Amino acid sequence: MSSNVEVHMKHPEEVQKKIDALKEGGGDKLKVIADFDFTLTRFWWEEGERACSCYKVLEDCGMLDESYHDKAQELQRKFYPIEVCPDIAKEKKIEAMLEWVSQANKLLEDTGLREDMIPQIVKGAKVCLREKAKEVIDKLAECDVPLLVFSGGIANVLEEIFKKEGVVLQESAHIVSNRMVFGEDGTIASWTEPRFHAFNKDAETIKDEPFVKHESHRTNILLFGDSLGDVRMSTGLDVSTILTIGFLNDKVPERIDTYLDTYDVVILGDPSMSYHYDLLTDILN
């Protein structure tokens, strides 16, 4: 399976048991929860150059006030090391991430960003889906398996990225993320609540949503992420079997032990989603 992808597991026998249980349940019992930035999208753009997250699409676009770009990149330099550092306590990380999201959102409000600018910004951005990501999403739609995209990014931007990549989301797909609400003049009037970031994305916050209740019988879960906090995305759901698959995109030697303790399956580097697609096909067939 996916021989060009470097896959690691701490407990391969347990992983196989989970895969067997997922196959037994089939599509009728399954749902998929996926992070967006650097899980469905690539981490590297060109050799040595990072691809953009949803927020960084706007930060790097060059179409907004110059002071915005400088201040946004200053926030990135301040808070990203906190997000990825394995030695900082979770409580401190959550506090820092909320501060980052709040300050980043306020900066965007002050720029005068208009809704009609987003397609052009995304068109020129250094961001794209991983190879096979579209096939994963299409396969889920074809088999009527629900997909929950849970993101600490910006819903308006990620939806435009999907359009850019030719992805048409069906009714069985749901996006939960920070969303800009635009006023009559086309500029940002407010943001939806709660504010999501890497460490507070969990289903407990959306348990009263109609689609969550409608899908409550689907207790087998495939969870796709790339940060240590992403494994919490299923928290609050009834779960029979869950298989967690995490991309370790960067700083592999420093982080691999922690990732292997956190995810069932760890995929190194920045490859395609061929492992995910092959596994999903196996389960659904």
Side-chain angles (χ1 to χ4, degrees), residues 171-185:
E171 289 185 6
S172 56
H174 316 283
I175 293 173
V176 176
S177 185
N178 303 300
R179 186 176 294 277
M180 297 180 280
V181 180
F182 292 93
E184 291 184 4
D185 64 352

Side-chain angles (χ1 to χ4, degrees), residues 83-153:
E83 177 185 343
V84 300
C85 179
D87 301 321
I88 296 177
K90 180 184 167 186
E91 293 74 18
K92 292 289 185 183
K93 284 179 182 273
I94 290 175
E95 184 180 323
M97 294 305 102
L98 279 173
E99 184 180 353
W100 188 4
V101 171
S102 298
Q103 292 186 27
N105 290 358
K106 182 64 168 63
L107 281 180
L108 281 170
E109 290 174 27
D110 293 342
T111 65
L113 173 69
R114 299 189 315 277
E115 186 174 16
D116 61 9
M117 295 170 68
I118 295 175
Q120 188 64 29
I121 289 173
V122 169
K123 183 178 179 181
K126 295 175 180 177
V127 63
C128 65
L129 296 180
R130 292 182 189 270
E131 185 182 346
K132 284 289 186 181
K134 182 179 184 298
E135 287 84 347
V136 167
I137 295 168
D138 289 346
K139 185 72 172 177
L140 292 171
E142 175 191 333
C143 297
D144 201 28
V145 174
L147 168 65
L148 169 59
V149 179
F150 216 152
S151 174

Side-chain angles (χ1 to χ4, degrees), residues 186-212:
T187 63
I188 302 172
S190 62
W191 292 77
T192 54
E193 293 286 347
R195 293 165 292 167
F196 292 108
H197 55 75
F199 295 97
N200 73 339
K201 297 184 299 181
D202 65 62
E204 191 68 40
T205 60
I206 57 170
K207 63 183 181 182
D208 293 327
E209 292 288 336
F211 74 85
V212 175

